[in-house]
């Protein structure tokens, strides 16, 4: 099932609750929340207090994308703050600690995902297939909104889709970075079903039209 996930990184943080309500009315399926620590990526965004406030402000599904070093340290705290799904970068710690982080989130009853940076190969998802609800493939270098889609990620999306279909059917395949009406066609053709879009939704005044454009161009 196709899901559109506006990334709040491109929202107006001074009126975040209203921004979230606006994209919900506009037809968004979930909210994508980018957490950055200035170490794993060269930018700082938001953390646990903002997620707590968001949890009170919206009933939308919160997909939390952790771009932080050693995220296992905060896995339970993000669950308690109100995340519905916590995404861990496979590059952010050892495999053992990433598996531990996944276990901690599952024990709290929340969903989990693993995320791959552009240079990380498709095979890196193998240890986690069957344990996570979602695989997130970055289609830009993580850290900033508004970058151009990396077309050379399309073969990786196809490869992960094949691995999912063989080893863990039902796992969602999310893409993040440079998604708009044009690239929505390419990534859904390649097998993605959850599309994160920051600037292509929050950067537009008519969010309903922006979401409709992405939905209409997707081939699922
Ligand atoms: C980048 C973030 C993205 C970002 C996407 O590190 O993970 O979620 O907000 O922004 P756009 O859709 O503008 O490329
Ligand atoms: Zn993201």
């Amino acid at each position: 099932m196709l899901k559109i996930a506006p990334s709040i990184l491109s929202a107006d943080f001074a009126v975040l609750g209203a921004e979230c309500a606006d994209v919900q009315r506009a037809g968004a399926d979930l909210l994508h929340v980018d957490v950055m620590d200035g170490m794993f990526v060269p930018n700082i965004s938001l953390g646990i207090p903002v997620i707590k406030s968001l949890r009170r402000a919206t009933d939308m599904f919160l997909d939390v994308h952790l771009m932080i070093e050693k995220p296992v340290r905060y896995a339970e705290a993000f669950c308690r703050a109100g995340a519905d799904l916590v995404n861990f970068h496979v590059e952010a710690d050892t495999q053992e600690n990433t598996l531990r982080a996944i276990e901690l989130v599952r024990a709290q009853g929340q969903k989990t995902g693993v995320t791959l940076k552009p240079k990380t190969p498709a095979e890196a998802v193998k240890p986690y297939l069957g344990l996570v609800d979602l695989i997130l493939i970055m289609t830009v270098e993580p850290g900033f909104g508004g970058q151009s889609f990396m077309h050379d990620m399309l073969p990786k999306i196809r490869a992960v889709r094949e691995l999912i279909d063989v080893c863990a059917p039902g796992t969602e395949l999310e893409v993040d970075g440079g998604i708009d009406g044009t690239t929505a066609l390419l990534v859904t053709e390649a097998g993605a079903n959850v599309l994160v879009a920051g600037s292509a939704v929050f950067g537009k005044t008519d969010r309903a039209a922006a979401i409709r454009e992405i939905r209409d161009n997707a081939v699922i």
Side-chain angles (χ1 to χ4, degrees):
M1 183 187 145
L2 178 70
K3 295 179 186 171
I4 314 286
S7 161
I8 64 165
L9 193 60
S10 295
D12 181 349
F13 282 3
V15 286
L16 194 50
E19 290 278 74
C20 294
D22 190 38
V23 294
Q24 184 170 25
R25 273 193 305 273
D29 299 292
L30 54 134
L31 286 173
H32 183 82
V33 182
D34 290 303
V35 177
M36 305 180 184
D37 66 354
M39 295 290 287
F40 183 72
V41 290
N43 197 6
I44 297 176
S45 57
L46 56 89
I48 288 164
V50 176
I51 292 172
K52 274 189 189 156
S53 296
L54 264 180
R55 184 68 295 159
R56 287 194 294 269
T58 181
D59 61 0
M60 287 190 83
F61 187 96
L62 300 179
D63 162 31
V64 175
H65 176 193
L66 295 184
M67 286 164 275
I68 64 177
E69 295 281 1
K70 303 202 180 300
V72 65
R73 296 173 295 156
Y74 296 104
E76 288 171 300
F78 277 102
C79 291
R80 282 196 300 270
D84 292 295
L85 184 147
V86 187
N87 262 313
F88 301 102
H89 266 272
V90 302
E91 309 86 357
D93 208 333
T94 60
Q95 182 176 313
E96 188 189 354
N97 283 346
T98 304
L99 288 167
R100 174 86 188 123
I102 290 166
E103 201 179 289
L104 288 170
V105 173
R106 286 168 64 108
Q108 301 262 327
Q110 262 85 324
K111 294 189 168 181
T112 59
V114 284
T115 308
L116 306 186
K117 286 167 89 172
K119 289 191 186 74
T120 305
E123 296 69 48
V125 302
K126 283 184 178 166
Y128 310 104
L129 283 175
L131 298 175
V132 292
D133 302 281
L134 175 146
I135 308 283
L136 168 55
I137 298 181
M138 291 308 298
T139 43
V140 297
E141 282 298 340
F144 300 92
Q147 304 181 75
S148 300
F149 178 79
M150 296 169 71
H151 284 80
D152 52 346
M153 291 300 107
L154 290 169
K156 184 156 96 182
I157 299 169
R158 277 188 216 104
V160 173
R161 165 50 64 196
E162 275 174 30
L163 284 170
I164 286 174
D165 288 348
V166 174
C167 307
T171 308
E172 311 232 46
L173 181 49
E174 182 175 47
V175 287
D176 182 8
I179 303 300
D180 58 15
T182 311
T183 53
L185 167 68
L186 304 174
V187 294
T188 50
E189 258 175 3
N193 75 297
V194 184
L195 311 189
V196 176
S199 45
V201 173
F202 280 110
K204 304 278 168 61
T205 21
D206 186 345
R207 274 80 183 260
I211 290 172
R212 207 176 312 118
E213 191 191 338
I214 295 171
R215 221 182 270 289
D216 288 350
N217 283 292
V219 291
I220 48 168

